[in-house]
Amino acid sequence: MATYLDFEHKIKFIQEDIISAQVRHDEGAVENLQKDLDKAVSKIFNNLTPFQQLQLARHLDRPYALDYINLIMRDKYEIHGDRHFRDDAAILCYLGYIGGEKVMVIGEQKGRGTKNKIKRNFGMPHPEGYRKALRAAKLAEKFNIPVLMLIDTPGAYPGIGAEERNQSEAIARNLIELAELNTPTISIVIGEGGSGGALAIGVADKLAMMRYSVFSVISPEGCSAILWNDPAKAEAATNAMKITSKDLKELDLIDDIIDEPLIGAHRDRDGAAAAIADYFLDELSKLREMSDEERMDARYKRLTNPGAFSE
């Protein structure tokens, strides 16, 4: 059953009316209702607040990494384990094809339903997850296979076991190794990009965000708890933190915004998946036109450009 947010209720009612009209085979009513739906979607989704975009990024029906992998990849094979400790289900690694391109896809997976969420640790990777991601990326480098990374996590897992196994070292090593990886790399924030948990698979030649995704150094709830000692002020924190794709593009912290369907990826999975596949193939084609030296130099510049100072 579809889940609707507070500001989506008008859309819900129109969609229910469309279904009723289709059952009655009333084509005229369906056509008129579809026009009403288009107007409602345009009015609502063109005027979203940052907090509403955060709600969309966390929407229960929003596609996760595995959903996109199943939609855009063929002849895929999953890679398991970090060859040191265990297989972390919060990180997915698949080798397969997108279009005519062989590609390694690395993604963070939140999971649906209580049992699956626990299995995926709510999308919060352990150190072995990041080491698995790095192992897959190095394998791709060995055979000159491009890498697509799908970011969707509230953050790296902060538990005692993760700290005992050097969570911070695993993230830091990924930052260094991915920055030096000699194969084309593209990272896309598909939902929620949280802190170092997102950065660990966010170092790439291109960093893009889906239209309704967010990227932040801390969750709005965590920020409001620290600044105001009140997690209930998450909406105020969201507005102040500039975490939406539009904000980050204006700040030149990301390269591109991927135009997922206006109604949202949670309502049009196929359209969102097609947008990701098209962006990846287009950008990969551009990266392949560059020599390795040019590409690595451009990557270095984009990683060191953020920030400003004055004297």
Side-chain angles (χ1 to χ4, degrees):
M1 185 175 179
T3 302
Y4 288 84
L5 300 171
D6 291 342
F7 59 87
E8 293 184 297
H9 280 169
K10 185 175 182 179
I11 292 172
K12 175 185 177 182
F13 297 141
I14 297 175
Q15 287 181 329
E16 288 175 347
D17 289 342
I18 289 175
I19 293 172
S20 297
Q22 288 172 336
V23 171
R24 300 193 309 270
H25 300 288
D26 189 343
E27 295 181 3
V30 170
E31 185 177 347
N32 291 331
L33 286 167
Q34 188 60 52
K35 291 178 181 177
D36 292 341
L37 179 62
D38 293 341
K39 289 179 182 177
V41 169
S42 179
K43 182 178 180 180
I44 293 170
F45 285 88
N46 280 319
N47 297 283
L48 292 173
T49 66
F51 187 67
Q52 288 172 332
Q53 291 194 47
L54 174 66
Q55 290 177 292
L56 286 176
R58 295 172 171 175
H59 199 288
L60 294 176
D61 297 332
R62 191 171 179 85
Y64 294 148
L66 188 56
D67 297 316
Y68 287 124
I69 287 169
N70 288 330
L71 285 168
I72 67 177
M73 291 190 80
R74 60 181 176 83
D75 300 332
K76 57 187 181 293
Y77 179 84
E78 186 172 6
I79 294 171
H80 295 277
D82 68 337
R83 297 295 186 267
H84 289 284
F85 185 66
R86 68 174 179 121
D87 183 41
D88 186 356
I91 291 278
L92 301 171
C93 301
Y94 277 86
L95 182 63
Y97 289 87
I98 297 178
E101 293 286 349
K102 184 179 289 186
V103 58
M104 179 71 74
V105 178
I106 299 168
E108 290 163 322
Q109 177 71 11
K110 287 183 174 179
R112 285 193 175 86
T114 303
K115 187 177 290 187
N116 199 251
K117 285 180 178 180
I118 292 172
K119 174 185 175 182
R120 304 289 182 183
N121 200 37
F122 299 84
M124 295 184 289
H126 291 79
E128 51 271 21
Y130 295 121
R131 292 175 180 133
K132 176 170 75 168
L134 182 58
R135 183 174 81 84
K138 298 293 280 186
L139 176 65
E141 179 187 42
K142 182 177 180 180
F143 296 101
N144 196 29
I145 297 171
V147 179
L148 171 62
M149 293 175 276
L150 303 176
I151 299 170
D152 189 16
T153 179
Y157 184 60
I160 294 175
E163 295 300 331
E164 288 175 342
R165 297 190 298 279
N166 291 326
Q167 181 74 286
S168 57
E169 185 274 340
I171 294 173
R173 182 167 295 280
N174 274 28
L175 300 182
I176 295 171
E177 297 279 1
L178 291 178
E180 297 177 346
L181 198 72
N182 191 20
T183 193
T185 54
I186 296 171
S187 282
I188 300 174
V189 184
I190 60 172
E192 186 178 11
S195 193
L199 284 176
I201 61 169
V203 177
D205 294 308
K206 290 286 184 178
L207 175 60
M209 294 177 65
M210 299 289 281
R211 189 203 301 262
Y212 302 129
S213 63
V214 296
F215 202 174
S216 62
V217 71
I218 189 174
S219 70
E221 291 81 4
C223 176
S224 61
I226 292 171
L227 292 183
W228 299 295
N229 198 29
D230 184 2
K233 291 187 176 180
E235 184 170 356
T238 304
N239 295 332
M241 289 169 65
K242 306 293 183 184
I243 65 175
T244 67
S245 57
K246 182 180 178 182
D247 289 330
L248 293 173
K249 177 62 177 173
E250 289 176 355
L251 293 169
D252 202 27
L253 293 173
I254 62 171
D255 296 300
D256 299 295
I257 298 174
I258 298 175
D259 283 332
E260 66 179 272
L262 184 62
I263 198 171
H266 60 299
R267 301 279 175 247
D268 187 356
R269 292 190 177 195
D270 291 338
I276 287 178
D278 290 343
Y279 176 81
F280 172 73
L281 293 173
D282 288 345
E283 292 304 316
L284 179 59
S285 177
K286 295 175 185 176
L287 291 172
R288 285 233 166 100
E289 292 175 359
M290 306 166 69
S291 67
D292 286 349
E293 185 176 343
E294 290 172 334
R295 181 168 46 78
M296 296 297 282
D297 186 55
R299 183 193 296 173
Y300 177 80
K301 287 180 180 177
R302 75 162 298 278
L303 291 175
T304 56
N305 273 344
F309 68 91
S310 61
E311 295 181 350

